[in-house]
Amino acid sequence: MITSKNTRNKEAFVWIWLPGQTAPVVAGKLQADEENLLFNYGKSYLERINDENPAISIYEPELPLTAGIFPLPDGLAMPGCIRDAAPDAWGRRVIINKKLGLKGKDTDTAELDELTYLLESGSDRIGALDFQFSPSEYVPRSPINASLLELLESAERVEKGIPLTPELDQALFHGSSIGGARPKALIEDQNVKYIAKFSSNSDLYNMVKAEFVAMRLAALAGLDVASVKLTQAASRNVLLIERFDRKAINHGWSRRCMVSALTLFGLDDMTARYASYENLAEIIRYRFTEPKKTLKELFSRLVFNVLCGNTDDHARNHAAFWNGRELTLTPAYDVCPQGRSGNEASQAMKIAGDNNLSQLKTCLRTAHNFLLSGKEAYGVFDQIEGTINDRWDDVCEEAQLSQVDKTRLWKRQILNPFSTER
């Protein structure tokens, strides 16, 4: 049963998939303390230290494997690694539509409390956590595998503020736990799990195909990105992004723990403006596997974002796998050219000091933070810019991008003259 502000949930139990396992175990409990959510590990979980599948911390240094309730870092209302598993704007709209019948994109998502969003969203969320009312019985909130047509119809109803039918709300509910503001859902096809992204009523150009083009160009330029493909439902384009946090094993699915860069920074959405590529590079140098290789990869992603016009590179759109000891950069995701009114643009995260201007010369100023010389930085520039120039027409043909959209993107979002200034 959904709750209102006056009947808030008081607690939820956090379940986790340990590395290589296909079933979760209970890790601990979240408790509401006024507007905050506090976490402590369960005794049974802490006793798994010498088990065949030992306990791991949900994320350190935030929630190390120790007993007791953890104090919250300054400015946070819940642990960041828990918040990473919460539904974002789109998922909250789906839950509100389903449970309260409220309409429209301007619905107040604060109508429900955070524990309710955690407990009422789908169980197949990003990463390796889920949330339950019970500490002993795990009951997944996962409906039947819906068709793309059903999902598309559901997304359109939510966008228009039309309450979902019981059938359609089950179709879309599965994807209510994944992040982002755009219409999306989760599907499984031939033993592969995908995030399906749909067009939005507010799109000024074909954002689905634009994201496909950007992701394909990034892969061709040598970046580590999630695999993507285009399909159609009801004559509408749908982008399928293969999930990298799931692996089919032993007649089940293992899940990989993940944390966002926002959590690595110790920030929340209200303070995300302080996030920077330089700080992320410093964290990588000290805490990530293969730091030198990872630094070059992140620098290449920054350069690609600048050159393709992806200014939505905020700290939630960078993430790392967590295995209980160390961090590893995930493949890139949510790389999509964004609309711009003029030539000048800025990245969502700071690049060099307080400078976040979307230009190669800004990237050059920070190359040393990524352990790259000026010559090596220019090599990255040439590789990525050359690939975009050489493969643009091929990838647009692969996407069957219209001439109108090609014209709208080329030299405006993609390789805008402002961005290529060195």
Side-chain angles (χ1 to χ4, degrees):
M1 177 70 69
I2 203 81
T3 60
S4 70
K5 282 183 175 179
N6 296 322
T7 55
R8 292 175 181 267
N9 287 298
K10 300 298 183 183
E11 64 181 25
F13 293 92
V14 181
W15 291 65
I16 187 171
W17 277 254
L18 294 170
Q21 301 303 298
T22 58
V25 296
V26 66
K29 182 169 69 173
L30 277 173
Q31 294 174 279
D33 178 20
E34 296 182 351
E35 297 302 315
N36 296 326
L37 294 183
L38 304 178
F39 176 81
N40 66 283
Y41 287 107
K43 184 172 182 290
S44 63
Y45 188 71
L46 293 174
E47 290 174 347
R48 297 180 64 96
I49 297 298
N50 298 315
D51 194 86
E52 182 180 351
N53 298 303
I56 66 170
S57 65
I58 295 176
Y59 172 63
E60 291 182 29
E62 193 173 41
L63 298 179
L65 274 178
T66 56
I69 295 177
F70 291 95
L72 290 170
D74 289 343
L76 297 189
M78 71 174 82
C81 56
I82 299 293
R83 177 204 54 213
D84 285 338
D88 222 331
W90 173 254
R92 292 171 188 243
R93 285 177 62 188
V94 173
I95 292 168
I96 285 176
N97 185 302
K98 176 186 177 186
K99 295 297 185 179
L100 302 182
L102 300 179
K103 302 180 180 182
K105 64 181 180 180
D106 297 323
T107 297
D108 181 11
T109 56
E111 180 70 21
L112 305 176
D113 62 277
E114 288 298 326
L115 273 181
T116 295
Y117 281 120
L118 292 172
L119 287 164
E120 295 289 344
S121 49
S123 290
D124 200 10
R125 66 190 73 242
I126 300 301
L129 300 180
D130 194 22
F131 306 91
Q132 298 278 309
F133 289 98
S134 170
S136 58
E137 181 183 14
Y138 180 76
V139 182
R141 297 178 299 281
S142 301
I144 58 173
N145 196 32
S147 70
L148 280 175
L149 181 58
E150 290 174 306
L151 294 168
L152 184 61
E153 289 180 21
S154 303
E156 288 179 341
R157 291 176 76 95
V158 170
E159 280 236 293
K160 294 175 182 177
I162 303 172
L164 295 169
T165 65
E167 296 78 19
L168 291 180
D169 98 34
Q170 283 300 303
L172 199 60
F173 169 72
H174 189 31
S176 62
S177 54
I178 51 180
R182 294 183 56 76
K184 59 178 67 68
L186 298 175
I187 67 166
E188 182 180 330
D189 182 43
Q190 297 181 350
N191 223 28
V192 179
K193 286 182 179 279
Y194 297 96
I195 295 173
K197 287 190 176 182
F198 311 111
S199 58
S200 168
N201 294 332
S202 60
D203 288 347
L204 299 178
Y205 54 91
N206 195 321
M207 294 285 283
V208 166
K209 287 190 175 182
E211 183 169 350
F212 173 84
V213 167
M215 294 284 281
R216 288 286 295 120
L217 285 171
L220 290 168
L223 276 66
D224 179 19
V225 300
S227 297
V228 294
K229 63 181 181 179
L230 280 173
T231 188
Q232 285 197 330
S235 300
R236 298 274 297 278
N237 299 117
V238 181
L239 178 66
L240 299 181
I241 303 112
E242 186 173 340
R243 293 185 65 173
F244 45 72
D245 62 336
R246 296 290 185 269
K247 183 178 180 181
I249 57 171
N250 302 327
H251 308 291
W253 293 92
S254 67
R255 305 187 180 197
R256 299 188 71 176
C257 290
M258 286 173 52
V259 289
S260 70
L262 199 65
T263 293
L264 300 182
F265 293 138
L267 301 173
D268 66 6
D269 290 313
M270 299 301 292
T271 55
R273 63 186 180 279
Y274 299 115
S276 77
Y277 279 97
E278 288 181 341
N279 287 348
L280 185 51
E282 183 177 12
I283 294 170
I284 288 171
R285 288 198 298 272
Y286 291 103
R287 302 196 58 207
F288 274 61
T289 57
E290 300 185 280
K292 187 169 178 61
K293 178 181 176 182
T294 302
L295 286 167
K296 185 175 181 181
E297 171 69 21
L298 181 63
F299 184 78
S300 299
R301 293 183 189 185
L302 165 60
V303 170
F304 187 85
N305 285 335
V306 166
L307 293 177
C308 85
N310 175 36
T311 53
D312 193 35
D313 56 339
H314 54 78
R316 280 189 182 276
N317 279 344
H318 299 276
F321 296 121
W322 168 251
N323 64 8
R325 302 180 306 278
E326 54 196 359
L327 296 157
T328 302
L329 195 66
T330 72
Y333 56 94
D334 280 355
V335 180
C336 183
Q338 303 295 312
R340 61 208 289 174
S341 55
N343 283 332
E344 186 170 317
S346 299
Q347 298 305 123
M349 294 205 313
K350 298 174 183 177
I351 300 172
D354 289 330
N355 188 342
N356 65 341
L357 288 179
S358 306
Q359 294 183 293
L360 291 183
K361 64 182 181 183
T362 315
C363 300
L364 186 62
R365 284 180 53 189
T366 197
H368 65 280
N369 288 299
F370 295 81
L371 306 184
L372 297 173
S373 66
K375 181 179 179 181
E376 289 171 321
Y378 275 110
V380 172
F381 298 166
D382 292 340
Q383 163 70 16
I384 294 177
E385 189 172 357
T387 299
I388 294 173
N389 269 307
D390 294 343
R391 302 304 299 271
W392 168 252
D393 287 330
D394 295 339
V395 173
C396 288
E397 184 176 347
E398 184 182 351
Q400 297 183 334
L401 193 67
S402 71
Q403 187 58 49
V404 171
D405 280 337
K406 282 185 69 174
T407 301
R408 186 187 295 269
L409 291 171
W410 188 245
K411 300 296 185 179
R412 296 186 184 185
Q413 281 82 1
I414 309 287
L415 298 188
N416 185 289
F418 178 80
S419 70
T420 57
E421 287 184 27
R422 302 188 185 193

